[in-house]
Amino acid sequence: MSARTPGVGLRSDHLTLAYDGVPIVKDLTLAIPEHRITALVGPNACGKSTLLRGLSRLLRPRGGAVYLDGREIHRAPTREVAVKLGLLPQAPSVPEGLTVQDLVGRGRYPHQAWFRQWSAEDEAAVERALQLTNTVALRERAVDELSGGQRQRAWIAMALAQETPIMLLDEPTTYLDLAHQIEVLDLLHELNEREGRTIVIVLHDLNQAARYAHHLVAMRDGRIQVIGRPADVVTEAMVRSVFGVESRVMPDPVTGTPMVIARARAERADSVEAVRQ
């Protein structure tokens, strides 16, 4: 399947999102680059996950709008949205006893209709998703009996089985050890390279975001602070203003992308003392 579908774009226009009347994302205008990987970064509670929910239409705007393929997303039929845009939310839940294969199969629901039931194409999509996420051996296991890392890979498999040109993933590396984190991020990179998937991903690890994303959006207090290529966005000044952390930024010795090394509190204190002397 090729996801290089012309005209499938996602953007927000003066978007405001709120919980219980309290604005979390504020007057935010953002165009997601097509066929690229965009990473949303920023401190906890800055609005990254809320923005992802708004872009996926799980959260109705208090102001502004989200547009998918030029159409306001909340005015589009659910099935039309679901075949273009897939979401892996943070900490999703499933009915007790649901197997991995059944969970992954749910990714095919948007492709079903009264005149088109389960097909060989659906079967192939599920099998491919299981193989890509190394969950074939888990297919008969109940999702609620899996470890956190296994469960996360099963959910990623479901998102892959949906085969949408746009994928939104909220912290997909949560619960995964380093090897599986790299495995998942490499997989997303390959999907983007080979199939042109547009991927929006919330990541806490700024170095991973700089390594894997083409486009970074740094947020703080519900607003975009900096946006652009990792080489332009990831600076010592940005890390200080967005995360409140003193750091050194240098080229990654493997990829050449920006690499952030946070300065320990003791090191900062020593530097201040040296200046005073």
Side-chain angles (χ1 to χ4, degrees):
M1 184 208 73
S2 174
R4 294 187 184 276
T5 307
V8 179
L10 182 64
R11 64 182 177 88
S12 69
D13 185 29
H14 296 287
L15 181 67
T16 295
L17 301 166
Y19 292 116
D20 298 325
V22 179
I24 305 298
V25 169
K26 306 160 187 174
D27 194 32
L28 191 148
T29 296
L30 173 67
I32 301 299
E34 293 186 51
H35 313 306
R36 293 289 184 267
I37 298 175
T38 297
L40 306 181
V41 300
N44 290 340
C46 72
K48 304 184 298 295
S49 296
T50 301
L51 174 59
L52 217 62
R53 288 173 60 83
L55 291 175
S56 66
R57 93 169 195 172
L58 285 183
L59 190 59
R60 184 172 288 276
R62 291 294 299 270
V66 174
Y67 296 89
L68 177 64
D69 198 11
R71 184 177 185 180
E72 191 172 343
I73 197 169
H74 280 90
R75 297 181 182 274
T78 299
R79 187 178 298 275
E80 179 182 313
V81 173
V83 298
K84 293 181 179 180
L85 186 154
L87 170 69
L88 174 63
Q90 192 179 104
S93 60
V94 296
E96 185 177 351
L98 189 76
T99 68
V100 169
Q101 178 146 326
D102 288 340
L103 172 66
V104 179
R106 291 187 174 200
R108 300 303 298 169
Y109 282 6
H111 301 274
Q112 308 299 308
W114 68 268
F115 57 86
R116 184 195 181 282
Q117 299 303 309
W118 192 263
S119 67
E121 182 181 347
D122 297 318
E123 195 69 38
V126 169
E127 192 64 32
R128 178 172 180 265
L130 290 169
Q131 291 176 358
L132 286 172
T133 54
N134 290 323
T135 51
V136 172
L138 303 175
R139 68 194 316 153
E140 301 299 333
R141 296 272 304 277
V143 177
D144 55 3
E145 295 176 356
L146 302 178
S147 69
Q150 290 172 329
R151 192 178 305 123
Q152 191 74 349
R153 285 188 287 137
W155 277 103
I156 292 169
M158 190 205 73
L160 294 177
Q162 195 171 337
E163 291 192 326
T164 55
I166 301 175
M167 296 178 65
L168 309 181
L169 303 101
D170 193 354
E171 299 184 35
T173 55
T174 299
Y175 306 119
L176 301 181
D177 59 33
L178 182 58
H180 283 113
Q181 288 179 33
I182 300 303
E183 182 179 291
V184 166
L185 293 171
D186 281 346
L187 170 59
L188 296 175
H189 174 76
E190 289 171 15
L191 288 170
N192 170 261
E193 285 286 304
R194 294 184 350 215
E195 300 178 2
R197 304 273 188 113
T198 299
I199 295 171
V200 184
I201 182 171
V202 172
L203 286 175
H204 272 303
D205 190 313
L206 191 52
N207 291 330
Q208 288 183 349
R211 176 178 283 198
Y212 285 94
H214 305 100
H215 193 69
L216 285 187
V217 179
M219 296 181 62
R220 185 176 180 89
D221 297 328
R223 302 181 188 276
I224 294 174
Q225 302 298 306
V226 194
I227 187 169
R229 298 183 311 127
D232 299 326
V233 169
V234 182
T235 64
E236 293 172 12
M238 184 280 285
V239 176
R240 183 185 307 113
S241 64
V242 172
F243 293 90
V245 173
E246 295 295 332
S247 68
R248 291 287 305 277
V249 175
M250 58 190 62
D252 186 307
V254 176
T255 63
T257 54
M259 183 175 68
V260 177
I261 301 175
R263 296 178 62 184
R265 183 175 300 174
E267 180 186 352
R268 296 197 301 271
D270 289 345
S271 296
V272 170
E273 186 62 28
V275 170
R276 288 174 177 171
Q277 293 177 355

